[in-house]
Structures are given as C-alpha cells and as structure tokens.
Amino acid sequence: MSEIVLLGINHKTAPVEIRECIAFSQDDSVRALQTLHRNPLIDEVVLFSTCNRVEVLLVSKNKSQAISETKQFIADFNKIPIEQFEKALYIHVNDEAVRHVFRVASSLDSMVVGEPQILGQVKEAYRTATTLKTSGVILNRLLHRTFFVAKRIRSETGIGDRAVSISYAAVQLGKKIFGTLEEKKVLLIGAGEMAELAVEHLIRNKVGNILVANRTFANAVELAKQFNGKAIRFEEIGDCLTFADIIISSTGATDFIITREDVKRVIRSRRTRPIFFIDIAVPRDIDPEVNWLTNTYVYDIDDLKGVIDENIEDRQREAIKGERIVDEAVIRFREWYDGLDVVPTIIALRKKMETILEAEIKKTFQNNKMIEPEANALQKMTDSIINKVLHDPTVFLKKNGMRDHTTLYIDIVRKLFKLDE
Amino acid sequence: MESLNALTPFLYMLSSAGYLTYLFLQKSYLQRIGYVLLFAGFMCHTAIIVSGFVESGHVPVGNLRQTLCMAAWAVAGVFLLIQYRFNIKILGIYAAPFIALMMLIAAQLPDEPSQTQTIFKSFWLISHVVVIFIGEAAFALACGIGLFYLLQENALKTKRHRFFFRRLPSLDLLDSVGYVCIVVGFTMLTLGLITGFVYAKSIWGRFWSWDPKEVWSGITWLFYAALLHERLTVGWRGRRSAIMAIIGFGVLLFTFLGVNLFLEGHHKDFTKL
C-alpha cells in the first residue's frame, strides 16, 4: 500500500542560513521534480519552496527507502552535506503529512498566522507538478482537499481578518473613521519605508489627491512623482491641514511639527470634518494632545503596534478554530484514502448493487405477496447476478503486473460508481 | 385578534434575540433572521392598528397602552426603512429590543377603551398623530445611532479596540445615518406641529393656547432646529451631533410622556392609564 510522506524544513526548525542553501527556484523545482519522479520508489511528488519553507510531498510504497533517497537527493542537488540540514528536517507520514499540508496551506503554520500568500504559493507549486505530471491520483486529491480546507478556514474563521502590519492597520483604522477612503486627501510629511508603504496601501483604496511635504523640496518633488501626487513646501503644511483628511508623518524632526494650536485653528474652516493623523516618526511629529480635539484622531507608532498586537492575539484565537477544521478534514481524507484499495472498493461496489437490487425487488413485488420458495429463488438469482457482474472487475483490479496503475483504476471505479458519497 | 396581540410582541422578542446573538456571534444570517422576524412582527402590528382603527373609527391612541403600541409600531416601521436603505446592521441591536420592550410595557397596562369623542375624528387629527409618531420614531433611532457613535468614537480616541469597535460600522456611516434620522424626524415634527395647529384652530378657534404640551413641543422643535442649523452652518457633526441627538431625545421623551404625567394639558387622554 502506498504511503504519503512529507519531508521539510521551515522557519521554526531551520535558521535562514540553512533555508537559503536548500531553497529551490522555479527552474530548480522543475529539474528536482523530474529527477525525483524518475526514481522508481517515488510514485508521485510535489515540491514547494518559499523563503520560509521547503517541503517535499511524495507517495511511495517503500517509505524508508524513499525518505533516505530524497534526503540524499536534497543534499546532492544543493551540494551540501546531509548532516548540515538533517537535524532541521521533519518527516511526517500519512495522517501527519496530510495534516501538515493542510496547516501550511491554511497559513496555520506560517510565521505570521493567517498571511494570505502561502496558499497562492502552494497552488503555484501544484501547478508546476501537474504540468510535469509528477502528481497522481493521491496527491491530486490531497491538494484539491488542501485548497478546499484553506478556503474554508479563511472564510469560516477570522484568521486573516485583522491587520498585522503597521501600514495595513493604519488603512483599516482610516476605514473605521471615514467609512470609505475614496477621494480622501492625503498629506505625507517626510519619507520612510513604512510611511510610503502606508501611502501605497491608501492609493490601492482609491484615495484622492496626494500631497508630499519635505524639508528638502527636491525630495518632496521626487516622492510626489512616485505617487502621482503634488509636492508642497514645508511651510505650507499649516494651510494644507484645512483640506487634508489623512496625514502621515515620518520625519526626523526633534520637535512637534504639528501642534494642537495648528489643528485647532483649522477645525472651523474644515467644518469639523474628521481628520486622521498617522504619526510613524520617533520622536513623534504630532502633538498627542491633538487627539483630544473634536473629530480628530492621532495614532502614533506605539498605538499602531498596540493594534497589531491585539490583532495577532486575535488571529491566534481564530487559528484554534482552524485547527479543528483541519482535524476534521484529515479524518475525511483518511476515509477516502482507506477506500483507495482493491478490497474496500469491491465491497463498496457490491454493497451498491445489493441496495439497488433490493430496492427494485421491493418495488416490483410491492402489492403481490410472495411465497417463501419463490422469494428464496429470487434471492439466489440476484446474488449470482452480482457475483457474475463483479467477477471480471475484481479479477482486473487484483491482477498483478499493473502495480503502478492500481490507484488510478480504483479511483476511476470509485468515481464511475460514485462510491465516495 | 387576540392571537395577533400575542404574536406581535413575541415576534419582536424573537427578533431581539436574533439581533443579540448576532452581536456576539457576528454571523450575518442571524442579522437577516432578526430583520425578517421584525418585519413579520411589523406586519402583524399593522394589522392590529388597522383593525383598531376600523373598529373605533379613530387612531387608536386613547390610552397609554395604545399610545405605546403605536409608538412601537412607528419605530419598527422607520427602522425597517432605514435598515433597508442604509444596511446599518448594528442598528437592530438597539431598535429590536427597544420595540419589544415598549410592547411588553404596553401589554402590562390596562386597556380601557376611551369614550369616542367627536374631536378625534378629523383628517387633521389623524395626520397629526401619524406624522408626529413617525417623527418621534426617527428621533428615537437617531438617539440610538448617537449612542453607537459615542461608543465607537471613544474606542478610536482611547485606542481600545475591543468588543464594540469591531462590531460597529465606521463613524462616517453612523454620523450620516444619524443625520438622515434627524432630518426625517425634524420634517415630520414640523408637519406634525402644523397639522396640530390647524386642528387646534378648527376645534378651539386658535392656533396656540400655551398648553404645556404645546410649549414643550415648541422647545423640542427649537432644539432640533438648532442642531440642524449648527450642522448646516458651522458643520457640527460627529460627537456634538451625537450628543445633541441623545439629549434631544430626552427632551422629546419628556414632551411625549413627562408633560402628561407631571403637568396637565389637552393631550391627557393620550397617557390615560
């Protein structure tokens, strides 16, 4: 009987120095899959490699041999000795392997729980395997179940709901204030990776004009070009407060750039429309007292981090629900997998025919009472029909010499007769 | 009729239960169930009021029981419209229990039909009553939305993003729906006062008689007028608007019930026990 085996390393078991040695690029993956699939011990294989993990998923009838040969292959392919990564390597078999794949694709095993990229990466890896035809009946089924489970976890739990990056958290806060960010005017003061990322997030949410202010006007012009916005002079910030709705500040200034007075002055001319300050700078650019003015909200870097910490806790709570869905899916997969053998398939086939014949006999003799000997004869006849009909398929499935294709035929039979429902 | 009288509060209570579970579990089908149940309750409720009208020939507001029943009906109707138009899911958590509570209180009160007076049968009076009740219902919802606004604003200012922060919609939505409620309420209140004046003129021969009810109605109207004026001129929105909506509803409640219970006036039948 074939077994599902998974070998892998990830960010929890291996430091980046080892992971980068073993990582497979897209081209590497193709070559690796082809080489592995040529190995007669390995019936099916899928390989995924991201910056946080490398996993080899395979089906083999001789797992211990297959494991050691795969290890050797990884070592040879990446030209590093086995000892260097062996300690970091985890090996899961059957149910545990299935569970691991489910957990990885659902992002329960990710560094940031709930991050959405991993599912796409697994899909991509599977696509590569199907184009090369290195996956077969078992892995196809497993991966399809995996996508289903991942989707279900994403929609039924809040695992991916809450923002876990500063810039994304800022956007979500903005939505809680403004409802929609469309056509809101953004003012970026200063520069910096986090601030620029936040602006990009805002642009994706279709904000309106973007203004950029910088102590060095040339820098402002440069950055404004990048965002398709408009550069303004540093001295103009005070006037811009009249119409800007979202202000992101990230300068190296030691003093407050925007004081309570600055904002208070414009509240009336803004007709108290809400204004949202995102202060990413350390030391802070915006007087925290501004937060207490009417319809004004100030979030500094610590506030945003606080939001994120809460959200991460939340995701972890949601992940527990996800684990439950995974457990369920593992059991379901096991049921299917156990059925993928000759004997259970024939039993299921026989059962199906028996139910059909029983129902038909009942229908035929609904009104006429049958006498005992007639009923016995009829029973005998149906039994022998079933035996005769099943004889050839049974012989065919049990025939030796078609080892490699057994699972394929069983799968077809099960699908043809709808035995899995 | 008896069964409808029992079914209506029951449906409203079920709807409240649906909305409250929605508050905790956040499954949107619960919210839809709450909405449908409330709609069903409203339909039964309408049947009760219409049959009451047909039976007696005037709007059934002859005692406190009928008055509360009518007010609950108006809140339910306005809520259904607002919910349909703006899909502000959280509102049902305020509205459904509010309506159910009014119906329950009404059910505890004695139901002695007041002797039909001829003055109750007039086009002006019927429109006066209906319009005023709709206006008051809109103000009741504005008050609820104001409360939600303050909760959400507080969460944003203090940066404590707990239970309500996640469940409440954006400040902008709360503010604009609250504003719509105030505008509707104010329009209806104005129309209600006008029809009331016309009716008073036709019965007592004068528009205004310094009756406590009239005086307090005037105060309420001025209060909401001030709110709208400030909003349109200097742009009072958000927090101040929310606080004003809540205080305004307090004034309104006093005009609606307090005046009858503590002061005298020519609306006394209205809250007769």
Side-chain angles (χ1 to χ4, degrees):
Chain A
M1 181 72 189
S2 316
E3 290 182 285
I4 301 171
V5 180
L6 181 137
L7 295 92
I9 57 164
N10 65 18
H11 57 280
K12 286 175 199 155
T13 64
V16 65
E17 296 81 38
I18 293 183
R19 294 202 312 268
E20 65 193 1
C21 287
I22 304 190
F24 291 84
S25 70
Q26 180 65 24
D27 292 345
D28 291 346
S29 302
V30 172
R31 274 195 298 131
L33 280 175
Q34 283 166 336
T35 322
L36 282 169
H37 197 235
R38 270 201 294 274
N39 187 328
L41 286 170
I42 296 171
D43 296 337
E44 305 179 23
V45 58
V46 173
L47 177 132
F48 34 94
S49 170
T50 72
C51 55
N52 279 335
R53 62 178 70 248
V54 175
E55 319 251 0
V56 184
L57 182 62
L58 47 92
V59 174
S60 169
K61 293 199 176 62
N62 181 351
K63 70 172 179 208
S64 48
Q65 192 73 25
I67 290 170
S68 63
E69 288 196 16
T70 308
K71 271 191 211 167
Q72 190 58 51
F73 166 79
I74 294 173
D76 294 347
F77 194 90
N78 296 293
K79 300 184 186 68
I80 61 166
I82 290 188
E83 303 79 55
Q84 222 171 68
F85 66 88
E86 203 172 19
K87 266 212 194 97
L89 200 72
Y90 46 81
I91 297 165
H92 298 302
V93 182
N94 289 340
D95 279 5
E96 283 320 299
V98 171
R99 181 187 313 277
H100 186 79
V101 177
F102 286 168
R103 293 188 72 245
V104 167
S106 320
S107 188
L108 292 170
D109 197 46
S110 300
M111 195 134 85
V112 179
V113 172
E115 54 100 0
Q117 283 88 2
I118 186 72
L119 181 58
Q121 288 161 340
V122 175
K123 279 186 177 163
E124 189 55 48
Y126 175 58
R127 199 170 304 134
T128 313
T130 45
T131 34
L132 296 174
K133 296 201 168 61
T134 64
S135 69
V137 173
I138 296 174
L139 291 190
N140 284 345
R141 173 84 173 196
L142 175 58
L143 269 300
H144 283 134
R145 291 313 293 176
T146 303
F147 303 145
F148 177 77
V149 168
K151 214 187 249 171
R152 186 168 162 214
I153 289 180
R154 191 149 287 273
S155 63
E156 287 183 22
T157 74
I159 191 172
D161 284 359
R162 319 230 176 273
V164 288
S165 73
I166 297 275
S167 50
Y168 195 45
V171 169
Q172 287 203 330
L173 280 169
K175 282 188 181 161
K176 276 285 181 194
I177 296 169
F178 299 109
T180 163
L181 300 178
E182 272 172 51
E183 296 309 312
K184 294 285 173 279
K185 295 181 184 63
V186 178
L187 168 61
L188 169 64
I189 306 173
E193 195 188 342
M194 225 188 290
E196 288 166 35
L197 208 58
V199 174
E200 275 163 26
H201 267 302
L202 290 170
I203 291 173
R204 229 165 291 146
N205 281 282
K206 302 198 182 73
V207 287
N209 299 345
I210 290 168
L211 301 168
V212 182
N214 202 304
R215 288 240 192 255
T216 327
F217 188 65
N219 292 350
V221 173
E222 187 65 29
L223 208 52
K225 209 158 74 190
Q226 188 186 325
F227 296 128
N228 231 339
K230 200 178 126 201
I232 59 161
R233 297 200 164 276
F234 213 72
E235 299 73 38
E236 289 177 288
I237 289 173
D239 300 328
C240 285
L241 291 179
T242 325
F243 51 83
D245 302 299
I246 300 169
I247 289 115
I248 302 172
S249 191
S250 166
T251 75
T254 45
D255 272 338
F256 294 138
I257 289 179
I258 294 172
T259 62
R260 189 169 180 277
E261 286 315 303
D262 292 333
V263 183
K264 204 171 176 198
R265 207 160 36 82
V266 297
I267 284 184
R268 215 180 157 82
S269 51
R270 289 181 61 82
R271 300 171 54 84
T272 58
R273 271 180 298 111
I275 181 165
F276 179 29
F277 292 94
I278 303 160
D279 186 357
I280 306 181
V282 179
R284 288 178 289 184
D285 284 343
I286 290 151
D287 186 350
E289 284 302 308
V290 171
N291 188 42
W292 300 107
L293 292 167
T294 325
N295 295 350
T296 310
Y297 307 89
V298 181
Y299 274 73
D300 64 34
I301 188 86
D302 281 2
D303 297 331
L304 291 169
K305 276 192 187 134
V307 172
I308 290 172
D309 286 344
E310 268 177 33
N311 290 352
I312 289 175
E313 263 173 49
D314 243 56
R315 281 190 174 197
Q316 256 132 19
R317 251 193 311 267
E318 291 297 311
I320 296 169
K321 289 187 207 162
E323 300 285 0
R324 202 188 56 220
I325 295 176
V326 166
D327 288 344
E328 203 184 307
V330 170
I331 294 171
R332 293 277 299 277
F333 188 79
R334 153 79 25 209
E335 283 167 7
W336 173 82
Y337 190 67
D338 285 344
L340 205 61
D341 204 355
V342 180
V343 179
T345 305
I346 290 169
I347 292 176
L349 209 52
R350 173 177 287 276
K351 214 172 238 158
K352 172 144 189 172
M353 292 183 69
E354 279 171 357
T355 9
I356 293 173
L357 280 168
E358 213 169 282
E360 291 305 314
I361 289 175
K362 225 180 190 171
K363 220 169 28 185
T364 316
F365 292 97
Q366 213 165 19
N367 303 315
N368 317 5
K369 190 102 171 87
M370 237 195 307
I371 47 164
E372 191 80 1
E374 263 183 13
N376 283 344
L378 203 62
Q379 189 60 48
K380 234 179 215 165
M381 188 190 83
T382 54
D383 282 349
S384 73
I385 289 177
I386 293 175
N387 284 336
K388 291 248 158 78
V389 170
L390 284 182
H391 179 258
D392 287 339
T394 311
V395 169
F396 177 79
L397 288 175
K398 281 189 172 164
K399 193 166 62 185
N400 288 329
M402 48 164 275
R403 278 189 50 209
D404 293 347
H405 298 296
T406 319
T407 45
L408 179 68
Y409 282 116
I410 290 177
D411 186 54
I412 290 173
V413 169
R414 297 192 78 93
K415 276 185 187 146
L416 213 52
F417 290 96
K418 264 197 168 175
L419 298 180
D420 286 316
E421 274 154 55
Chain B
M1 204 60 237
E2 268 310 303
S3 59
L4 268 188
N5 274 332
L7 184 62
T8 307
F10 182 66
L11 283 171
Y12 284 149
M13 276 190 288
L14 277 184
S15 164
S16 312
Y19 272 113
L20 287 177
T21 20
Y22 167 67
L23 177 65
F24 288 97
L25 301 182
Q26 290 288 290
K27 301 270 183 252
S28 57
Y29 68 88
L30 288 169
Q31 182 267 135
R32 275 198 300 278
I33 290 174
Y35 184 71
V36 169
L37 285 169
L38 200 117
F39 184 76
F42 178 72
M43 282 301 158
C44 299
H45 204 160
T46 310
I48 293 176
I49 286 176
V50 168
S51 77
F53 183 79
V54 171
E55 227 169 80
S56 61
H58 60 80
V59 194
V61 285
N63 56 32
L64 185 58
R65 180 191 170 109
Q66 290 178 345
T67 302
L68 276 179
C69 182
M70 184 79 178
W73 176 80
V75 175
V78 175
F79 164 73
L80 287 172
L81 278 177
I82 293 279
Q83 167 67 37
Y84 176 74
R85 173 72 182 76
F86 294 99
N87 194 19
I88 172 169
K89 294 182 177 128
I90 196 85
L91 190 55
I93 290 156
Y94 165 81
F98 186 77
I99 297 162
L101 188 70
M102 273 198 281
M103 289 303 280
L104 284 182
I105 294 174
Q108 305 307 313
L109 298 170
D111 188 14
E112 273 175 44
S114 59
Q115 54 279 60
T116 315
Q117 291 164 294
T118 43
I119 58 164
F120 271 133
K121 289 180 182 169
S122 148
F123 165 75
W124 292 111
L125 183 77
I126 293 168
S127 16
H128 169 68
V129 171
V130 171
V131 163
I132 284 276
F133 272 88
I134 291 173
E136 284 172 349
F139 285 137
L141 292 178
C143 166
I145 294 168
L147 288 170
F148 285 139
Y149 185 96
L150 292 184
L151 269 178
Q152 182 70 312
E153 203 220 16
N154 187 53
L156 271 165
K157 287 255 186 198
T158 57
K159 288 138 195 178
R160 259 179 250 140
H161 299 167
R162 289 296 169 200
F163 192 77
F164 277 106
F165 176 78
R166 302 207 161 132
R167 286 163 171 78
L168 290 170
S170 66
L171 290 178
D172 181 72
L173 181 67
L174 289 169
D175 187 49
S176 42
V177 179
Y179 177 60
V180 167
C181 286
I182 302 257
V183 169
V184 170
F186 186 73
T187 315
M188 290 299 170
L189 186 64
T190 311
L191 284 174
L193 290 182
I194 292 169
T195 47
F197 291 149
V198 173
Y199 175 69
K201 175 80 178 166
S202 70
I203 293 290
W204 297 298
R206 54 182 187 271
F207 288 111
W208 182 270
S209 47
W210 292 106
D211 175 85
K213 192 79 168 186
E214 289 175 2
V215 173
W216 278 94
S217 299
I219 292 173
T220 313
W221 186 86
L222 283 174
F223 188 90
Y224 282 111
L227 195 171
L228 284 177
H229 175 263
E230 291 299 301
R231 182 164 186 125
L232 292 173
T233 52
V234 269
W236 267 26
R237 64 177 78 228
R239 185 184 172 76
R240 270 185 215 158
S241 184
I243 292 174
M244 289 279 276
I246 295 166
I247 297 174
F249 186 61
V251 176
L252 183 84
L253 267 186
F254 183 75
T255 312
F256 184 68
L257 296 174
V259 170
N260 292 43
L261 300 174
F262 304 120
L263 309 168
E264 279 291 304
H266 58 47
H267 277 77
K268 58 183 180 304
D269 260 359
F270 198 59
T271 48
K272 203 174 70 181
L273 283 170

